Amino acid sequence: MATQVEDGKWHHLGKLLGRPGPFATEDFSANLEEHKKNLVETWKVLVIGAGGLGCELLKNLAYSGFRNIEPKAVTAATFINKRFPGVNVVPYFGRIEDKGEEYYRQFKIIIAGLDSIPARRWINSTLVNMLVYDDEGNIDPDSVIPFIDGGTEGFKGQSRVIYPGFTSCFECSLEAFPPQVNYPICTLANTPRLPEHCIEWAHILEWPKVWKETKFDADNTDHMKWMFETASKRAEEFNIKGVTYRLTQGVVKNIIPAIASTNAIIAASEVTEALKIVTNAADVLNNYMMYIGGEGIYTHTFEYEKKENCLVCGTSQSVYSVSGDIKLEEFIEMLGGDVNYQLKKPSIRCNNKNVFMQAPKALLEATTPNLSKKLNELFQSGDTLDITDPLLSSAAITLSEVNGVSQVFERLTSHRIQSHSQGKT
């Protein structure tokens, strides 16, 4: 209960929440006990990310009065529970993609300290898909879970507040990030030239072949050891130098170097935004803050506007032109390299038939021959291609061919609204 909170530990909250201030919103209530009760009983927080930034987030949340927290790191949860009596930090172990919507619906705020852009794209897409609409297409406010995202790279960092359905989502600004490196499947399978090719071959092709339905876990040391050893053997076979355990980790986990002081600054910014959301003590960031500390200290805030043709939250169409004479393999590579889409492992269906499927193994083998075929051999004018990708939590785009020359990406927002109006979630 809130009355059990040691006032000595939380005396700083009284100065912020127990009296009005010039930055408080109109909805702010200068009632410290009411805020303590909300922090302890109502606002359940999920922290995604177990690295340097994630640990800073846990510590800051505990100091700021949040009492119900779930993170991924067992060790960090144990430490926080011991260091802050009364704080209930519940650990879980596993991939965020393995959790269903019901799991995420229990939280009031989700805070990310991820070093992986694909993981951030996935949770962003999931939260947008969880929105509930009424018959008129209006969003139910109770279905909106604020998503506070942060990231660091060396002396640079950023924090961002996303209200799914209302502000721009993570996908809206995807072009601000460099495209993720994707290697052609035929290169990985037949003509590797780089150590990264050997690692990705072990990761994408060999793991599912050997371990069948067992999902690779980058945080499992046994899994990572197998990945390194398998990639090393592949490199020896093709006389390729440079495969190391560290490089293997970097390729499969997209590890980005970080500095402790930058982590502390960004974590402080994220938790401050969470506290503002809970208490209305000040206006929430609108909606992006960048920090550069390499030479001096520089910060800047600005609003990322919603992108109308965003694959996740947009409502309009964007035209994607491509020649019908290119091969399907080249087209898939283009989807990965385009800064607007950056799809990692797209699977394609047309007219209820599999054109190319990344998984399971049987479908991958059956559809691989289509990679060498031209688009105008596989599709006819007016065909609609359904494209799915593990970076998105569901099939979020379709691709329609027009006269064999140009294609149109189209969001499925209208379908989602219709489903919600029929009582589906």
Side-chain angles (χ1 to χ4, degrees):
M1 295 296 294
T3 57
Q4 297 175 334
V5 176
E6 299 179 33
D7 291 335
K9 279 192 173 181
W10 314 112
H11 69 279
H12 57 286
L13 287 178
K15 298 179 180 180
L16 178 64
L17 307 177
R19 58 190 181 185
F23 300 107
T25 69
E26 295 180 356
D27 297 327
F28 175 72
S29 172
N31 186 325
L32 179 58
E33 293 305 315
E34 178 182 336
H35 290 302
K36 284 184 179 180
K37 183 176 180 180
N38 286 334
L39 287 167
V40 172
E41 299 179 1
T42 304
W43 289 87
K44 189 173 184 180
V45 180
L46 173 65
V47 177
I48 305 179
L53 186 55
C55 290
E56 286 285 340
L57 289 170
L58 288 175
K59 178 258 296 178
N60 290 348
L61 286 168
Y63 268 122
S64 299
F66 289 90
R67 288 300 181 122
N68 291 300
I69 308 168
E70 289 199 18
K72 184 176 182 180
V74 176
T75 301
T78 301
F79 176 83
I80 295 295
N81 284 332
K82 182 179 179 180
R83 178 66 177 80
F84 298 89
V87 175
N88 180 33
V89 182
V90 179
Y92 74 89
F93 188 79
R95 301 166 66 249
I96 63 172
E97 296 88 347
D98 294 337
K99 301 290 185 180
E101 288 188 3
E102 290 305 313
Y103 173 78
Y104 292 108
R105 289 187 189 279
Q106 66 180 302
F107 300 101
K108 296 291 186 180
I109 297 177
I110 293 179
I111 303 180
L114 293 163
D115 59 4
S116 167
I117 291 178
R120 289 147 85 182
R121 293 179 68 181
W122 187 91
I123 188 64
N124 170 77
S125 176
T126 296
L127 295 178
V128 172
N129 287 337
M130 286 168 54
L131 296 175
V132 176
Y133 298 80
D134 62 21
D135 292 339
E136 298 179 354
N138 300 312
I139 298 175
D140 179 358
D142 291 335
S143 68
V144 178
I145 302 176
F147 175 38
I148 304 175
D149 175 63
T152 65
E153 181 176 355
F155 287 101
K156 298 182 292 184
Q158 57 84 24
S159 63
R160 182 173 181 180
V161 177
I162 297 172
Y163 279 92
F166 292 94
T167 66
S168 62
C169 74
F170 187 85
E171 198 81 12
C172 288
S173 56
L174 188 62
E175 67 273 11
F177 297 93
Q180 299 295 291
V181 178
N182 294 295
Y183 301 104
I185 293 177
C186 64
T187 299
L188 302 182
N190 303 312
T191 57
R193 300 181 301 277
L194 303 172
E196 291 82 358
H197 290 164
C198 301
I199 296 169
E200 283 291 78
W201 172 83
H203 183 209
I204 296 176
L205 299 179
E206 197 66 6
W207 177 272
K209 177 181 178 181
V210 174
W211 296 101
K212 309 302 180 183
E213 300 302 322
T214 301
K215 293 184 178 180
F216 174 73
D217 184 353
D219 294 321
N220 186 309
T221 54
D222 291 333
H223 288 193
M224 190 61 70
K225 182 180 178 181
W226 181 93
M227 194 66 61
F228 165 62
E229 292 175 349
T230 304
S232 297
K233 292 178 182 178
R234 178 74 167 179
E236 290 178 5
E237 180 183 350
F238 286 87
N239 196 28
I240 297 173
K241 307 295 183 181
V243 174
T244 64
Y245 188 85
R246 184 174 182 178
L247 179 63
T248 302
Q249 286 183 308
V251 170
V252 301
K253 297 182 68 173
N254 295 312
I255 293 177
I256 300 173
I259 294 175
S261 59
T262 309
N263 283 338
I265 291 170
I266 299 304
S269 172
E270 289 189 77
V271 174
T272 297
E273 295 306 319
L275 193 61
K276 290 194 292 185
I277 290 174
V278 173
T279 65
N280 293 310
D283 286 324
V284 177
L285 175 68
N286 183 30
N287 52 33
Y288 186 96
M289 185 276 288
M290 62 177 292
Y291 163 79
I292 301 176
E295 298 179 3
I297 297 176
Y298 174 77
T299 60
H300 179 63
T301 62
F302 59 92
E303 179 184 3
Y304 258 122
E305 296 185 357
K306 292 189 69 172
K307 189 176 180 180
E308 291 186 1
N309 57 3
C310 172
L311 298 181
V312 173
C313 72
T315 57
S316 65
Q317 299 178 350
S318 63
V319 177
Y320 190 90
S321 298
V322 62
S323 170
D325 289 329
I326 70 170
K327 296 178 180 179
L328 179 63
E329 179 183 25
E330 296 175 290
F331 174 64
I332 291 176
E333 288 183 38
M334 293 170 64
L335 293 179
D338 193 305
V339 295
N340 292 300
Y341 306 113
Q342 298 187 35
L343 301 183
K344 186 177 182 180
K345 295 177 63 177
S347 294
I348 301 176
R349 287 173 54 83
C350 180
N351 298 325
N352 295 319
K353 295 181 179 180
N354 298 322
V355 178
F356 178 70
M357 305 300 290
Q358 300 274 1
K361 176 187 173 183
L363 288 181
L364 172 62
E365 294 178 346
T367 57
T368 294
N370 288 334
L371 291 174
S372 60
K373 296 181 180 180
K374 296 181 179 180
L375 297 185
N376 54 24
E377 294 181 69
L378 296 169
F379 314 117
Q380 297 180 357
S381 179
D383 281 350
T384 297
L385 311 188
D386 294 323
I387 300 180
T388 58
D389 192 275
L391 296 177
L392 307 175
S393 62
S394 65
I397 59 176
T398 64
L399 178 63
S400 301
E401 188 197 34
V402 181
N403 297 324
V405 177
S406 65
Q407 286 76 33
V408 179
F409 280 104
E410 178 184 10
R411 287 272 296 107
L412 294 182
T413 301
S414 59
H415 297 275
R416 186 177 297 119
I417 293 176
Q418 181 179 4
S419 296
H420 285 305
S421 67
Q422 294 174 352
K424 300 178 180 178
T425 58

